[in-house]
Amino acid sequence: MNIDRTGTFLVSEIDRALGQTKKQQLPQLTIKVKVNYWYDQTNEEWIDVSEYGMETNAYFVLIFDGKNGPETSLSFNQIMKVYNWDGRDFQVLTEIPAPESFMIKVEDNDPEYTDKNPFVVNWIDEADADPRGGLKKLDAKGIQALQSQFGALLNKAGKAIPPASAKKAPPEIPQEVLPPKQTAAEKKAAKEAKSARVKKANEDLQARMAEVSPVKPAEVADESSKTKTKQEAYMFVYEMQAEGTTDDARNAAWNAAIKQVAGDIDQKEITGEQWYQIMHETLNDVGAA
């Protein structure tokens, strides 16, 4: 009887013939096989079905018309492996002994041909190949063999990948890390020491913003420009910091400015005007001259 289902089977050869396809007259190997075992995918075990006497014909086109002329097919390579054929002589292929057992996989045939033959063999492999479904993956040895065989072609067909951009990624805004608490006298002295610099820093920063943001000249004069989000303030510090400023130095100045302007309040409560001032204070320490 003909094979009655799809799936993976262990079979033995009954007969073998080398012929040609009807339309293009391409080399085709036909193998008539007897079905001995069916693989149960659910329970992952081989089931003996030899008592049912199932048979089928497997057709393997060995060469096809490629874009640049005749090319060997994937079936060609599988036949070489299963039959231990060197792939150099068709006459040898018709004469070499068949393996005692090998694997085939069967799927539903094209609807156009199901009336004549509902199933078709679409794969042949060695008996100990993986019978489970899924993608077929080469092991490291197999990949290395492919590379050795086709490496020259890959080098010719591939393209050089440009090196990754050396542009530094924008920094992350540091978490709130407050400096050690100061005494009242130290805090007052520090505030007085910087107070004279704040006014000049504001004027300098407005000038810088006018230079780096020519597409928004109104922002300099507009009072609303004197407010910043935390993100905007920090990124502006990053853009305007002196050359050679390290992340640690910038973040230390940033945290000190937060302490100077906002004290110990939660950063979520800091206003846009205060972030604007914190931006100034930070640039007083790490800004470009």
Side-chain angles (χ1 to χ4, degrees):
M1 61 177 289
N2 291 330
I3 201 166
D4 64 355
R5 70 195 75 177
T6 62
T8 301
F9 303 86
L10 286 180
V11 301
S12 55
E13 181 185 279
I14 297 174
D15 198 6
R16 177 190 346 156
L18 184 65
Q20 293 175 285
T21 59
K22 292 182 179 180
K23 292 183 178 181
Q24 296 179 294
Q25 299 295 296
L26 297 171
Q28 176 177 263
L29 183 68
T30 302
I31 308 172
K32 185 175 183 179
V33 299
K34 173 187 175 184
V35 178
N36 300 316
Y37 292 89
W38 168 71
Y39 187 72
D40 183 346
Q41 296 282 353
T42 302
N43 297 309
E44 296 189 344
E45 61 178 348
W46 288 104
I47 306 297
D48 189 340
V49 293
S50 58
E51 62 180 296
Y52 301 108
M54 289 190 292
E55 299 178 357
T56 192
N57 290 334
Y59 302 92
F60 300 105
V61 177
L62 304 178
I63 293 177
F64 66 95
D65 287 331
K67 184 181 295 185
N68 299 314
E71 296 183 28
T72 56
S73 66
L74 183 57
S75 294
F76 181 96
N77 296 331
Q78 290 302 113
I79 293 297
M80 286 179 60
K81 180 170 67 169
V82 171
Y83 278 80
N84 195 27
W85 175 47
D86 62 9
R88 302 180 66 180
D89 190 321
F90 282 135
Q91 184 63 40
V92 172
L93 177 59
T94 64
E95 297 173 351
I96 54 179
E100 182 178 346
S101 178
F102 54 92
M103 181 190 302
I104 62 171
K105 294 194 175 185
V106 177
E107 66 177 11
D108 291 319
N109 202 355
D110 187 303
E112 184 178 350
Y113 307 105
T114 52
D115 289 342
K116 183 177 181 181
N117 187 9
F119 306 109
V120 62
V121 177
N122 70 339
W123 185 255
I124 182 171
D125 213 331
E126 295 172 304
D128 59 356
D130 189 348
R132 293 169 296 181
L135 300 177
K136 300 180 184 300
K137 298 181 179 180
L138 291 176
D139 56 18
K141 184 177 180 181
I143 293 174
Q144 185 177 10
L146 277 183
Q147 184 64 31
S148 298
Q149 183 178 0
F150 299 107
L153 178 61
L154 295 182
N155 289 334
K156 181 179 179 181
K159 63 179 181 179
I161 303 299
S165 173
K167 183 178 179 181
K168 187 177 180 181
E172 294 183 4
I173 299 178
Q175 299 297 319
E176 183 177 8
V177 180
L178 299 178
K181 288 190 175 182
Q182 298 173 306
T183 65
E186 290 173 335
K187 183 175 181 180
K188 181 179 180 181
K191 187 172 183 179
E192 290 176 350
K194 286 192 174 182
S195 60
R197 296 161 55 191
V198 171
K199 182 177 180 180
K200 186 176 184 305
N202 288 341
E203 296 171 351
D204 291 344
L205 186 60
Q206 292 289 350
R208 290 176 187 153
M209 291 175 66
E211 294 175 359
V212 300
S213 306
V215 296
K216 296 182 178 180
E219 183 180 353
V220 177
D222 190 351
E223 286 297 315
S224 65
S225 68
K226 294 185 179 180
T227 68
K228 295 289 180 185
T229 65
K230 180 179 179 180
Q231 177 74 22
E232 290 170 341
Y234 189 79
M235 292 307 299
F236 191 81
V237 169
Y238 176 70
E239 293 295 334
M240 300 301 295
Q241 68 186 13
E243 184 177 357
T245 301
T246 64
D247 291 344
D248 288 341
R250 179 181 63 254
N251 292 342
W254 173 261
N255 286 321
I258 292 175
K259 179 70 174 179
Q260 178 69 28
V261 173
D264 295 329
I265 68 173
D266 190 318
Q267 288 193 16
K268 294 180 180 178
E269 298 179 6
I270 296 177
T271 66
E273 290 80 5
Q274 287 175 310
W275 283 123
Y276 183 81
Q277 187 64 37
I278 289 166
M279 181 174 65
H280 292 321
E281 291 289 336
T282 306
L283 287 173
N284 284 342
D285 288 339
V286 300

